Amino acid sequence: MNIMILPKPEIVAGSFVKDYEKIYAESCANPGLFWENIAKELSWYKTWDRVLDWQYPYGRWFTGGKCNIVQNALDRHMQTATKEKLAYIWEGQDGTVRQFTYGQLNEEVCRFANVLKSLGLKRGDHASIYLPRIPEQIIAMLGCAKIGVVHTVVFSGFSIEALKNRIVDGEAKIVITADGYPYKDKTIECKSTVDEAIKELPQVEHVIVVKRAGNNIVFNPGKDLWWDEVTKTQSTDCPTEQMDATDPLFILYTSGTTGKPKGIIHSQGGYMVGAYITLKWTFNLTPDDVYFCTADAGWITGHSFIVYSPLMNGVTTFIYESVPDYPNPGKWWQLIEKYKVTKFYTAPTAIRSLMRYGDNWPRMHNLSSLKILGSVGEPINPEAWLWFHEKVGNSNCPVIDTWWQTETGMAMIAPLPSVPLKPGSAFKPFPGIEADIVDDKGIPVPPNTQGFLVINKPWPAMFLDVYKNPQKYREAYWEVVPTKVYFTGDSAKKDEDGYYWIIGRNDDVLKVSGHRLGSAELESALVSHHAVAEAAVIGKPHEIKGESIKAFVILKQGVTGSDQLKEELKQEVRKQIGPIATPDEIDFVDKLPKTRSGKIMRRVLKAQELGQPVGDTSTLENQ
Ligand code: WTA
């Protein structure tokens, strides 16, 4: 599709960056100066000695600097009018509304940080946060960050095994959860999942439980604590810990090509700068904005763009507890109208599914408050892009398609509102970011040719490492192509105008409704079932979800496949990883294509499944 949508003059006039090409050229001519100037927009206890200490493959930003992201997210607003302004408006599925000014949020964060301290947690300790989309999820994250406790947020849709792996690997001393939460007409229990996950984990000293659903839970006196009881007696003052810029802020687990999710570690200082500026510039954030991001803080989008960046930018963020089509597919549009949302950030999956319900739902609401729309998590097809632009944005709002990853911490390839847009393209790299599309030798490919998306230079919000697995850090990201650049795992093309078109993952990582899942992770859940000998999982293109999950399963000798067994296997995956990982299709097979060294060749299965050419099979064991 060759459409170009030009920016409206009033949008350009109101943009932080009016001339992308100029700013981009300047930023690449002197990236150190560019990032330093942005860092100066934030407050630091002590200025850095060096902007970047780059020792391949590790980049350490703002070394010698002292800061705390909470100082920028909350403390510094306490001296300004922002203190009285709403930081969050939260609406529950049942219509309950909770609001926090920056001042009130700060008090809650201080109370919670004091609870952690009273339980003996200190700088460098780790905490797991397994909470649904309620304000306490954010308060808990900020409370940890404030005193230098490293948080690991686990998405509340994950189940027992997934949670347990993250608690064990992340060495959490404490888990913060809720009794349960409403999900459409059900109640999802979280506390019982935590109980199961930590059954054999003496490392977890306490479980703090927020009351949300009011469901019955097993309460273990001594170990379990009610959030409201422990916070209410605490002081609303708590000093913010002065951290080194290179200290870890959080670990967030994400799926890769092995069964075990990787703990991506982000820093206090570099992450702060990258997250702060990318949302500000891509969404033109200004103090009067009401910003609505539909992600969950359990994912990187939520960390950077629901919690840290919006607060650093002093905007009001709206959060809806539930899903887009509950109680009806007009829910988001109704909320945008009710709260006069100006900036709206969501995922292609949601856009595609809401598009299916027809134009009437958005048309029923006054969406004229909207100024900018955003998309993240997977490639957005031009049809969905245009529908979003026309039916939601009334052709007035730029659609900002932001490409980034858990590892990058900040948006990397994304338009600014002042640039001409091509529906389906994520535009070009953000200022200060040098990207390219290369072949397997690291050589740039010609325009309109598919290749590997790489990032050539370190960037401030780059992850520090893979927790307890530096080898993985090197191998999976920095040694895949031989030119010492960051390998993203995505394939993409650049067109003749230099616009990037992201095609999707080139490894065994799936994107199902924007959720990142590893084939190996799903396979290991299947294989743990007593009937299964071997399993291979692939992603198949899906009109709404982006990808659907198909599993090929070899059963143990003597076991016969049946529909009932398929159902059982689906349940097993749900129980272990979570409902988001439920296979859509399961085929029982006798053999799987493997290399001579025994590795399953999933790409052969995928090609066969999609009726595409199988490609090079020289390493296939059984031709
Ligand atoms: C995909 C999400 C196309 C991509 C922030 C990447 C996208 C993976 C886009 C990271 C986009 C993210 N267009 N694909 N705008 N944004 N992706 O770690 O495959 O959950 O590698 O971070 O999502 O997923 P993650």
Side-chain angles (χ1 to χ4, degrees):
M1 203 180 294
N2 230 344
I3 309 177
M4 180 92 106
I5 294 179
L6 299 177
K8 299 215 177 318
E10 61 272 22
I11 299 235
V12 179
S15 285
F16 287 109
V17 177
K18 297 186 178 55
D19 185 348
Y20 164 82
E21 299 295 345
K22 178 169 166 271
I23 299 287
Y24 185 75
E26 281 171 13
S27 72
C28 292
N30 194 343
L33 181 67
F34 173 77
W35 291 117
E36 179 162 52
N37 280 335
I38 289 168
K40 284 181 187 161
E41 290 185 25
L42 294 165
S43 108
W44 296 74
Y45 299 115
K46 176 183 172 286
T47 319
W48 48 92
D49 301 324
R50 288 178 69 182
V51 177
L52 170 65
D53 175 10
W54 172 238
Q55 291 176 29
Y56 168 84
Y58 289 104
R60 294 294 178 259
W61 286 79
F62 306 109
T63 52
K66 298 246 182 231
C67 63
N68 190 309
I69 198 163
V70 176
Q71 148 80 5
N72 282 291
L74 293 173
D75 303 5
R76 73 167 175 160
H77 301 310
M78 296 307 117
Q79 282 80 48
T80 70
T82 309
K83 183 178 180 190
E84 305 307 327
K85 169 181 175 171
L86 287 178
Y88 291 105
I89 307 171
W90 174 90
E91 187 167 314
Q93 191 187 268
D94 54 5
T96 316
V97 176
R98 294 171 68 191
Q99 302 187 334
F100 297 81
T101 61
Y102 275 83
Q104 287 164 335
L105 183 66
N106 183 52
E107 291 189 353
E108 295 306 318
V109 168
C110 287
R111 280 185 208 272
F112 184 70
N114 284 327
V115 169
L116 293 176
K117 281 187 176 172
S118 73
L119 296 173
L121 275 94
K122 52 185 188 319
R123 179 176 180 155
D125 284 340
H126 292 193
S128 267
I129 301 175
Y130 182 64
L131 278 168
R133 209 176 318 191
I134 53 176
E136 285 77 4
Q137 186 189 35
I138 294 169
I139 295 167
M141 290 167 75
L142 294 163
C144 289
K146 187 176 175 75
I147 57 167
V149 168
V150 176
H151 61 67
T152 292
V153 182
V154 182
F155 174 55
S156 57
F158 279 125
S159 317
I160 302 166
E161 278 306 305
L163 173 63
K164 181 176 173 183
N165 288 337
R166 287 157 174 80
I167 294 173
V168 172
D169 194 78
E171 296 171 302
K173 282 190 166 176
I174 190 164
V175 179
I176 302 123
T177 190
D179 48 0
Y181 62 97
Y183 183 85
K184 298 191 175 182
D185 38 20
K186 286 191 291 206
T187 297
I188 310 286
E189 298 189 2
C190 327
K191 173 61 167 59
S192 57
T193 304
V194 173
D195 291 342
E196 277 298 309
I198 65 167
K199 219 161 42 188
E200 285 143 22
L201 299 182
Q203 68 179 75
V204 177
E205 292 163 12
H206 291 286
V207 178
I208 301 185
V209 190
V210 180
K211 266 189 206 121
R212 168 64 189 119
N215 51 308
N216 285 329
I217 62 161
V218 176
F219 194 84
N220 306 306
K223 182 166 210 154
D224 295 348
L225 305 160
W226 286 110
W227 172 290
D228 52 350
E229 284 174 15
V230 287
T231 49
K232 85 175 163 226
T233 52
Q234 293 293 340
S235 153
T236 53
D237 267 329
C238 173
T240 302
E241 188 78 22
Q242 302 196 5
M243 306 296 289
D244 289 333
T246 53
D247 275 336
L249 167 64
F250 64 82
I251 301 174
L252 183 59
Y253 283 84
T254 191
S255 299
T257 49
T258 55
K260 218 175 121 226
K262 294 178 287 204
I264 302 299
I265 315 173
H266 275 290
S267 68
Q268 279 272 355
Y271 172 82
M272 171 174 95
V273 173
Y276 161 74
I277 197 65
T278 47
L279 191 68
K280 177 173 174 172
W281 280 5
T282 54
F283 279 73
N284 265 351
L285 286 189
T286 50
D288 52 353
D289 272 324
V290 179
Y291 162 81
F292 177 12
C293 171
T294 66
D296 186 290
W299 306 102
I300 192 68
T301 304
H303 280 63
S304 300
F305 294 160
I306 292 179
V307 183
Y308 292 113
S309 189
L311 291 175
M312 285 190 276
N313 279 289
V315 299
T316 299
T317 298
F318 171 74
I319 297 168
Y320 177 52
E321 182 182 35
S322 193
V323 290
D325 56 355
Y326 191 85
N328 65 54
K331 188 64 200 177
W332 280 357
W333 318 134
Q334 181 239 324
L335 292 167
I336 289 172
E337 178 175 18
K338 177 173 174 189
Y339 294 102
K340 300 198 172 49
V341 171
T342 54
K343 311 282 163 81
F344 179 60
Y345 194 19
T346 190
T349 280
I351 300 167
R352 288 189 292 261
S353 74
L354 292 173
M355 190 173 146
R356 204 180 43 159
Y357 291 110
D359 305 349
N360 247 338
W361 289 103
R363 204 181 293 139
M364 274 157 55
H365 297 280
N366 179 353
L367 304 179
S368 61
S369 57
L370 287 171
K371 290 186 183 145
I372 290 176
L373 304 173
S375 169
V376 61
E378 22 158 1
I380 178 164
N381 48 311
E383 295 72 23
W385 196 105
L386 285 167
W387 185 84
F388 197 32
H389 184 251
E390 287 163 14
K391 309 297 178 212
V392 180
N394 196 21
S395 302
N396 282 325
C397 310
V399 174
I400 305 296
D401 175 14
T402 58
W403 178 92
W404 55 298
Q405 305 179 303
T406 305
E407 293 85 343
T408 70
M410 61 187 238
M412 302 289 280
I413 301 190
L416 302 174
S418 59
V419 306
L421 299 169
K422 296 191 192 189
S425 160
F427 188 62
K428 303 180 188 182
F430 191 84
I433 301 300
E434 283 188 45
D436 213 339
I437 317 263
V438 301
D439 64 14
D440 55 3
K441 299 198 177 52
I443 298 167
V445 298
N448 294 311
T449 310
Q450 178 169 338
F452 301 123
L453 175 63
V454 295
I455 308 295
N456 288 337
K457 296 266 173 70
W459 64 99
M462 67 191 292
F463 58 139
L464 292 173
D465 211 337
V466 175
Y467 190 56
K468 295 197 289 201
N469 203 344
Q471 193 186 340
K472 181 108 256 158
Y473 177 81
R474 285 180 166 273
E475 286 173 4
Y477 300 105
W478 298 95
E479 293 174 353
V480 186
V481 289
T483 43
K484 299 195 167 177
V485 293
Y486 171 77
F487 187 79
T488 64
D490 276 32
S491 290
K493 285 183 194 173
K494 231 193 296 184
D495 68 16
E496 54 288 345
D497 298 325
Y499 279 57
Y500 284 68
W501 298 78
I502 311 292
I503 293 159
R505 299 288 308 191
N506 54 42
D507 52 11
D508 291 315
V509 171
L510 279 62
K511 271 283 178 162
V512 181
S513 299
H515 300 319
R516 187 164 157 182
L517 296 164
S519 293
E521 209 177 340
L522 294 154
E523 288 156 8
S524 96
L526 286 164
V527 173
S528 69
H529 188 278
H530 58 82
V532 177
E534 283 183 77
V537 169
I538 60 163
K540 275 173 73 172
H542 185 277
E543 222 180 298
I544 292 181
K545 299 199 285 187
E547 279 191 297
S548 65
I549 303 172
K550 171 141 192 182
F552 298 86
V553 170
I554 303 182
L555 293 173
K556 285 197 182 138
Q557 268 190 339
V559 183
T560 351
S562 63
D563 285 347
Q564 195 196 333
L565 182 56
K566 284 186 187 172
E567 203 38 51
E568 231 179 81
L569 295 179
K570 287 184 185 177
Q571 287 311 321
E572 184 66 29
V573 179
R574 282 176 81 91
K575 196 176 125 212
Q576 289 207 20
I577 307 179
I580 50 169
T582 315
D584 297 273
E585 289 173 82
I586 298 180
D587 275 7
F588 295 123
V589 294
D590 298 328
K591 256 197 222 131
L592 290 169
K594 284 189 189 162
T595 60
R596 284 186 205 104
S597 57
K599 255 184 86 179
I600 297 171
M601 292 181 80
R602 300 186 187 99
R603 75 174 167 82
V604 171
L605 284 171
K606 192 161 178 169
Q608 279 171 348
E609 183 70 24
L610 303 179
Q612 289 169 349
V614 174
D616 178 17
T617 53
S618 54
T619 54
L620 196 61
E621 171 200 44
N622 187 343
Q623 298 283 334

